[in-house]
Amino acid sequence: MDSNEVNKVLAGLLGTVFVVFSVGIVSDSLFASPKPEKPGFTIEAAEPEAGAGGGKEAKAATPVADLLAAGKAEAGATVFKKCQACHSGEKGGPNKIGPDLWDIVNRPVAHHEGFAYSGGMKDFAKGGETKWTFENLNHFLTSPKGFVKGTAMGFAGLPKDEDRGNLLAYLRTLSDSPAPLPEAGAAPEATPAAAPADAKPADAKPAEGAN
C-alpha cells in the first residue's frame, strides 16, 4: 500500500469521526433537558381526616325544622308548579302520572286510593308503617331515586334548601288540619332504610310521587 492510499484511508476515518462527533453535538443541543430554576408542582396525597370510614366528614344537612321555620308557603306554591305536571294538590283531586298530594304530610306511604305504585315504593312503605313525615318528605324531595330505590318518580329532586323549605311549607297547607311544625333544634327522626336497589317495579306508572 503506497502513501497515497494510506492518506485516503486516514482521511476517510477522520471524516467519519468528525461526522459522528458533529451529530452528537447537534443532538445534545436539540434534546437537552436543562434543570429548571424553580421546581414544578409537587403532588402530595392528603391524609384522610378522622371521620366515618376514615374519610373527611361530610357537611351536616340542614335540619328539616330549620327549613320549615324559614320556609314560605307562598313561595312554595311557585315551586309546586314543577310538580303539577304529574300531581294535583286539591282535596279530592285526581291522580295524574303521580298521585294527588292533598293531605300528604304524615300519611302512610303508597296508600293513596286508586294509584298503582312501583315495587320500590311499596317496599319502602312497609305495609303502611312508613309515613310521609316532614323528615321523609325532605329526603325524598332532595333526591327521589336516591332515597327510595326503585321508585318510578322521574323528578331529579330539589338540591336547594330554600326550595325544599318553601315547598314543604306549602305542602303542609294542603290539608284541613295542617300538621304541627317540628320544634327547631329537635333531633331528626330516624330515617327508614331505603328499598333494595334491585327491587323490581310492580304495576308501576311512568312516574310517581309522595303519598
Side-chain angles (χ1 to χ4, degrees):
M1 181 181 295
D2 57 24
S3 60
N4 289 333
E5 292 180 354
V6 172
N7 289 337
K8 290 178 181 180
V9 172
L10 291 176
L13 290 173
L14 290 174
T16 302
V17 172
F18 176 77
V19 171
V20 172
F21 184 71
S22 299
V23 170
I25 293 175
V26 173
S27 298
D28 289 342
S29 64
L30 291 176
F31 302 104
S33 300
K35 185 177 180 180
E37 295 180 3
K38 295 182 179 180
F41 294 102
T42 302
I43 300 176
E44 297 180 357
E47 295 183 4
E49 299 180 11
K56 193 172 183 179
E57 292 185 1
K59 181 180 178 182
T62 304
V64 70
D66 294 346
L67 295 181
L68 284 162
K72 298 177 176 61
E74 296 81 2
T78 300
V79 180
F80 187 71
K81 291 180 180 179
K82 298 181 180 180
C83 312
Q84 287 180 318
C86 300
H87 300 277
S88 59
E90 63 270 17
K91 186 175 183 179
N95 293 325
K96 298 183 180 180
I97 297 176
D100 177 38
L101 298 182
W102 173 264
D103 209 20
I104 180 65
V105 180
N106 291 333
R107 214 164 57 186
V109 173
H111 275 65
H112 187 71
E113 184 178 355
F115 188 81
Y117 290 90
S118 66
M121 187 63 74
K122 289 178 180 178
D123 290 341
F124 179 78
K126 297 180 179 178
E129 179 181 343
T130 306
K131 292 180 171 54
W132 282 123
T133 62
F134 286 119
E135 193 79 35
N136 286 339
L137 284 169
N138 182 39
H139 288 300
F140 186 71
L141 291 172
T142 301
S143 176
K145 290 185 180 297
F147 188 58
V148 180
K149 304 298 182 183
T151 179
M153 176 79 162
F155 185 59
L158 296 172
K160 293 183 179 180
D161 285 353
E162 182 180 3
D163 288 343
R164 294 198 312 281
N166 291 336
L167 181 56
L168 288 170
Y170 176 73
L171 291 176
R172 178 175 175 266
T173 68
L174 303 183
S175 174
D176 291 327
S177 301
L181 292 171
E183 295 182 7
E189 301 173 7
T191 302
D198 58 354
K200 297 181 179 179
D203 299 325
K205 292 197 174 185
E208 65 185 337
N211 177 38

